[in-house]
Amino acid sequence: MILFKKLLSSFGIFQYFVLIICYLFLVVYKNDTLLILAFFYSLFLGFFVIKNRVDYLLANGNALIFLIFLFLYGIFQAMIEKILNGEISDNVYISSIIYASAIPAYIIGWSFNKKEQYDKLYESNIKEYKNNNGYNLFLIIILLILIGYVTYFFYSIGALFNPSVLEKDRSTLFEERGMGSIVIGLLISGIFLHFIYYFKKIPKKIRYFVIAILIYYILLQLSAGNRRDFMPMILGIFWVVVNIRKIKFTFSLLVGLLIAISVFQYLGTIRSNLSSGLTNVSNEQNIINTLQSNEFVYPFYTLSFDVKNYQNNQLDLKYGESYLYPIIFFIPRNIYPEKPYSLADQFIKRNFGSRYTMGFAYTPVTEAFVNFGYVGPFFFYLFLGFLINKVANKKNQVLNFIFFTMILDLSRGESGTFFYQFFFVSLFLLIIPGIIKLIQMR
């Protein structure tokens, strides 16, 4: 059986090489339908390859979840233009091929290493963990102070358990949030993730207290329409439960997940209509609006704009410069006035001017393109697939756990922003415990 699964997986990898040749063919001979079909096939082929490379595929697998988001952020714009306009514009067509080529590269890179069952590695982590009540108490004190600040902030803007704020423009309501408030949110997530990861080893009194605080924090954010602020904790709980219960990722679950994501996007359109006072919009128009405006559409614009600029000789490649931003971003601007702005900020200024206020998610695909051109995304995702597999196989599963809770951030963000967020989220779960361990070893 094991040999048969390996043969099936190898056959899937071979098909990815065929897909790469197909994409090269599509660059020369435009065929919208074939591109979309190949894009969809690459997703299901990825599920097939990943499933047959492991003993059993769990529902919290980073490799497959990241593949799904990579697919969703790349497919929508081409599909929208094909459905609504009958054909894909040249700029979107080339950009879609660039996105599509990242999937074979990602799966091929992921397939290089031997696959371990990370749920068993997690079980070993928990068994070896020595509970530190002093550190737990320290984290709870910090957590209460930070959530106290968030509570006061919500009270100061009239959003403290006041659902009526959902009728207002949330971007205007929370415009007073500075970088400090964002960092506080990341630190809160990191502390909760510590208790979630080691939940089985945390004393019952502390466990119940943390659960109560988490419920309060979720209700606080939910009452103001903020989902991203507590999503890492939900994902963290899901990751731990799947490991303990051995919940498998089946093909039916994959299809169901895609349907559920589509339904949530549709419900988001309805909520937006209600916030704007639009109550007579037909279902057909809501579906069209959902296709044209959703979580997975706007990040694609950064790539399509930059591809167009590059073709018009209006974009200079960075040749790896932006991958140094994770280090530079920690230097205050008053110390380093020439510190480069994020790629997202540069994109806005380059295309819309400095007065433009709307933000754009700058995906890893676009970042790889502006650094190394058309082949950049392919080689970047070849490396990223290899790296994700390495992380999943590490004996200490903390890094794999944190990465799972931040998959959405990586899927729609540039490297500098991602590592900035990662530092604060992992501070209490990975960095400080690592420093303490090094000190104790000395």
Side-chain angles (χ1 to χ4, degrees):
M1 178 61 73
I2 296 176
L3 178 61
F4 181 67
K5 290 182 69 173
K6 287 183 177 180
L7 289 173
L8 286 176
S9 178
S10 298
F11 179 63
I13 296 296
F14 170 76
Q15 291 180 70
Y16 270 124
F17 282 104
V18 175
L19 273 177
I20 293 170
I21 296 173
C22 176
Y23 292 139
L24 292 174
F25 171 82
L26 289 173
V27 171
V28 181
Y29 301 98
K30 188 173 185 289
N31 189 315
D32 298 349
T33 303
L34 181 58
L35 172 59
I36 292 175
L37 289 176
F39 216 136
F40 270 94
Y41 184 72
S42 68
L43 170 67
F44 296 115
L45 181 60
F47 169 79
F48 176 84
V49 171
I50 293 172
K51 181 176 174 58
N52 285 286
R53 295 289 276 198
V54 295
D55 294 338
Y56 48 88
L57 179 61
L58 294 178
N60 61 355
N62 283 336
L64 185 55
I65 300 297
F66 186 74
L67 170 65
I68 292 171
F69 282 115
L70 174 60
F71 166 80
L72 290 173
Y73 280 112
I75 189 63
F76 261 91
Q77 195 60 38
M79 197 165 58
I80 291 167
E81 291 196 355
K82 182 63 177 176
I83 293 173
L84 300 182
N85 303 331
E87 66 175 349
I88 305 174
S89 63
D90 292 341
N91 184 45
V92 170
Y93 180 83
I94 295 298
S95 301
S96 298
I97 290 178
I98 294 172
Y99 244 108
S101 69
I103 292 181
Y106 168 69
I107 295 298
I108 292 171
W110 178 85
S111 301
F112 281 146
N113 296 315
K114 181 182 177 182
K115 314 301 176 294
E116 300 286 346
Q117 291 300 146
Y118 51 85
D119 56 316
K120 295 178 181 179
L121 296 174
Y122 170 68
E123 290 172 2
S124 299
N125 283 174
I126 298 303
K127 288 180 181 179
E128 296 172 1
Y129 176 70
K130 296 180 180 179
N131 194 45
N132 186 335
N133 287 328
Y135 188 64
N136 290 334
L137 180 61
F138 165 74
L139 292 182
I140 287 176
I141 293 172
I142 298 297
L143 183 63
L144 290 174
I145 292 173
L146 296 177
I147 292 183
Y149 170 83
V150 174
T151 301
Y152 173 76
F153 173 75
F154 273 48
Y155 172 78
S156 68
I157 63 174
L160 184 61
F161 295 108
N162 181 16
S164 62
V165 300
L166 297 177
E167 300 175 1
K168 302 177 183 179
D169 183 356
R170 293 178 61 255
S171 61
T172 302
L173 182 67
F174 291 95
E175 64 182 359
E176 296 181 18
R177 290 183 68 181
M179 184 56 68
S181 295
I182 294 173
V183 169
I184 286 174
L186 296 173
L187 292 175
I188 290 173
S189 295
I191 295 175
F192 276 126
L193 290 178
H194 165 85
F195 290 115
I196 291 169
Y197 185 84
Y198 294 112
F199 188 76
K200 293 180 70 175
K201 280 295 189 80
I202 301 296
K204 285 188 177 180
K205 290 184 179 179
I206 296 178
R207 191 186 302 177
Y208 294 144
F209 186 67
V210 170
I211 290 173
I213 301 174
L214 178 59
I215 292 173
Y216 168 80
Y217 185 70
I218 290 176
L219 293 176
L220 176 68
Q221 296 290 353
L222 199 58
S223 67
N226 297 333
R227 294 168 294 178
R228 291 189 181 278
D229 295 79
F230 61 83
M231 191 55 65
M233 287 74 91
I234 302 299
L235 292 174
I237 294 171
F238 176 77
W239 190 89
V240 171
V241 170
V242 168
N243 275 356
I244 295 173
R245 300 290 184 182
K246 311 296 184 186
I247 301 173
K248 306 293 176 55
F249 204 128
T250 63
F251 183 79
S252 299
L253 182 59
L254 172 62
V255 175
L257 181 60
L258 294 175
I259 293 174
I261 289 173
S262 300
V263 170
F264 276 115
Q265 296 302 318
Y266 178 79
L267 293 176
T269 299
I270 294 177
R271 187 188 72 172
S272 178
N273 289 341
L274 293 176
S275 299
S276 303
L278 302 175
T279 57
N280 298 320
V281 182
S282 66
N283 288 331
E284 292 79 7
Q285 188 59 48
N286 278 329
I287 292 174
I288 292 174
N289 291 342
T290 301
L291 285 173
Q292 293 177 319
S293 177
N294 63 65
E295 164 71 27
F296 304 106
V297 169
Y298 294 111
F300 186 91
Y301 284 126
T302 57
L303 178 62
S304 60
F305 270 65
D306 281 342
V307 166
K308 184 177 181 180
N309 288 336
Y310 184 66
Q311 291 175 334
N312 295 332
N313 296 318
Q314 296 175 348
L315 177 69
D316 296 325
L317 299 181
K318 293 186 176 294
Y319 297 106
E321 176 190 317
S322 75
Y323 294 114
L324 299 176
Y325 289 180
I327 300 173
I328 297 174
F329 279 2
F330 285 95
I331 305 174
R333 194 169 293 278
N334 56 0
I335 297 177
Y336 180 24
E338 291 79 22
K339 181 175 78 170
Y341 290 91
S342 69
L343 291 178
D345 287 337
Q346 293 179 37
F347 172 83
I348 291 172
K349 292 177 181 179
R350 183 168 62 247
N351 294 285
F352 305 103
S354 57
R355 294 185 178 181
Y356 194 79
T357 57
M358 179 178 174
F360 281 86
Y362 211 83
T363 70
V365 176
T366 312
E367 180 172 12
F369 174 80
V370 300
N371 276 280
F372 303 109
Y374 296 112
V375 299
F378 180 89
F379 287 103
F380 174 80
Y381 276 86
L382 189 70
F383 168 75
L384 187 60
F386 178 85
L387 183 62
I388 287 175
N389 191 7
K390 273 288 187 183
V391 169
N393 287 338
K394 288 182 69 67
K395 183 178 180 182
N396 186 348
Q397 282 291 291
V398 169
L399 190 59
N400 193 33
F401 170 71
I402 295 173
F403 177 74
F404 181 82
T405 67
M406 298 185 69
I407 281 181
L408 186 59
D409 297 296
L410 177 60
S411 299
R412 68 191 307 273
E414 60 194 89
S415 60
T417 304
F418 174 78
F419 282 104
Y420 186 84
Q421 294 173 331
F422 174 82
F423 173 81
F424 292 106
V425 170
S426 63
L427 186 62
F428 298 110
L429 181 56
L430 181 65
I431 298 175
I432 292 179
I435 294 173
I436 293 175
K437 188 175 180 179
L438 285 175
I439 294 174
Q440 291 174 342
M441 290 175 62
R442 290 185 179 182

